[in-house]
């Protein structure tokens, strides 16, 4: 294993989701304690999240996530950035040793733990290898902003439904496709679709969260209708 835990990029990108690390780091979240600041409504949480993206304030965006979602997003950042081309990784500065140490923990900062056996434990292990989670999230947003279908953070949250400590809304997103009949010029197209956003009421207020298994199943069922 190399000196830096950025090795996770190569391993995860190759699809080898086994044990990538010999230990787990002591968590010292960048950007304040999870759950800060608090939001009185799901709408407030999403509006703060969207504003943080418009302002490129990745610490503020990160604070809108529940701790469980933070682990999942950190894992996704490692996975997605690891899939980028060498040219893109270089443009993001990921080949610079100083940036590697900035974003990822060194081996001396981890403590031995058992090998993870579940997907959730693997996500937690990958997330623990990331030193600057908001910063890494910001790098992924740079990739998104330069894509064919960048996220429009000005679209509002709508159809918000609250049920006790859970809430759900939708925002309009766009998917990029190329269409055209044989022999005709290809046409680039952006097609809108409703993307669900889930929320959890915590001790400090509403935060954006992962969907529960029931919510995921309900969304999958709605796509089949």
């Amino acid at each position: 294993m190399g000196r830096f835990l950025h090795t996770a990029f190569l391993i995860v990108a190759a699809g080898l989701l086994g044990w990538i690390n010999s230990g787990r780091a002591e968590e010292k979240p960048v950007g304040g304690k999870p759950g800060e600041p608090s939001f009185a409504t799901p709408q407030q949480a999403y509006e703060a999240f969207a504003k943080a993206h418009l302002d490129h304030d990745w610490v503020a965006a990160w604070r809108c996530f529940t701790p469980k979602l933070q682990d999942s997003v950190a894992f996704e950042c490692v996975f997605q950035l690891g899939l980028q081309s060498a040219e893109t990784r270089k443009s993001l500065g990921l080949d610079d040793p100083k940036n590697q140490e900035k974003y990822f923990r060194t081996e001396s900062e981890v403590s031995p733990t058992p090998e993870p056996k579940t997907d959730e434990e693997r996500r937690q292990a990958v997330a623990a290898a990331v030193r600057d989670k908001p910063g890494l999230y910001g790098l992924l947003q740079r990739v998104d902003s330069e894509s064919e279908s960048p996220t429009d953070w000005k679209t509002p949250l709508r159809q918000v439904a609250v049920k006790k400590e859970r809430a759900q809304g939708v925002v309009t997103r766009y998917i990029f496709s190329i269409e055209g009949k044989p022999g005709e010029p290809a046409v680039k197209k952006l097609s809108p679709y409703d993307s669900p956003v889930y929320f959890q009421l915590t001790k400090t207020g509403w935060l954006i969260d992962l969907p529960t298994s029931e919510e995921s199943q309900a969304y999958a069922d709605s796509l089949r209708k």
Side-chain angles (χ1 to χ4, degrees):
M1 180 184 296
R3 181 168 180 266
F4 299 108
L5 295 178
H6 67 282
T7 309
F9 271 111
L10 303 178
I11 297 176
V12 175
L16 303 178
L17 300 181
W19 183 231
I20 68 164
N21 200 350
S22 59
R24 289 284 302 280
E26 294 297 325
E27 280 297 303
K28 296 180 181 179
V30 175
K33 298 178 181 179
E36 296 181 348
S38 61
F39 303 105
T41 66
Q43 290 92 334
Q44 286 185 8
Y46 184 78
E47 287 170 4
F49 181 62
K51 183 179 185 302
H53 279 78
L54 293 172
D55 294 341
H56 293 181
D57 186 343
W58 309 124
V59 170
W62 195 258
R63 288 174 174 172
C64 297
F65 295 148
T66 62
K68 183 180 290 187
L69 182 55
Q70 288 178 349
D71 279 349
S72 181
V73 172
F75 175 88
E76 185 69 13
C77 288
V78 172
F79 183 81
Q80 292 295 337
L81 290 171
L83 292 178
Q84 301 304 310
S85 66
E87 181 180 357
T88 297
R89 290 198 300 273
K90 183 178 180 179
S91 71
L92 295 173
L94 291 172
D95 291 339
D96 186 333
K98 291 183 180 179
N99 283 337
Q100 292 167 0
E101 188 169 12
K102 172 186 176 182
Y103 292 115
F104 297 94
R105 301 179 190 277
T106 61
E107 291 185 37
S108 63
E109 296 176 283
V110 301
S111 55
T113 57
E115 180 177 345
K117 297 180 180 179
T118 66
D119 288 344
E120 182 174 356
E121 289 176 350
R122 293 187 185 100
R123 284 194 295 270
Q124 291 173 346
V126 172
V130 181
R131 184 196 307 278
D132 183 1
K133 297 181 179 71
L136 202 66
Y137 178 71
L139 290 185
L140 189 60
Q141 301 316 302
R142 282 179 55 184
V143 174
D144 174 77
S145 67
E146 297 170 2
S147 69
E148 297 284 0
S149 53
T151 302
D152 181 2
W153 292 105
K154 295 182 180 180
T155 57
L157 180 74
R158 51 193 175 80
Q159 298 179 20
V160 178
V162 178
K163 186 176 182 181
K164 295 183 178 179
E165 296 182 347
R166 296 292 296 177
Q168 179 178 345
V170 297
V171 291
T172 301
R173 295 289 181 252
Y174 296 88
I175 187 170
F176 174 77
S177 63
I178 298 179
E179 300 180 358
K181 298 180 180 179
E184 296 181 359
V187 177
K188 295 182 178 180
K189 183 178 180 181
L190 286 177
S191 302
Y193 68 96
D194 286 342
S195 178
V197 184
Y198 303 94
F199 302 86
Q200 174 66 42
L201 180 60
T202 70
K203 293 181 180 180
T204 59
W206 289 95
L207 294 173
I208 302 172
D209 195 23
L210 286 168
T212 64
S213 57
E214 292 80 6
E215 289 167 341
S216 295
Q217 184 61 53
Y219 178 65
D221 290 343
S222 69
L223 296 178
R224 288 192 285 267
K225 293 181 180 179

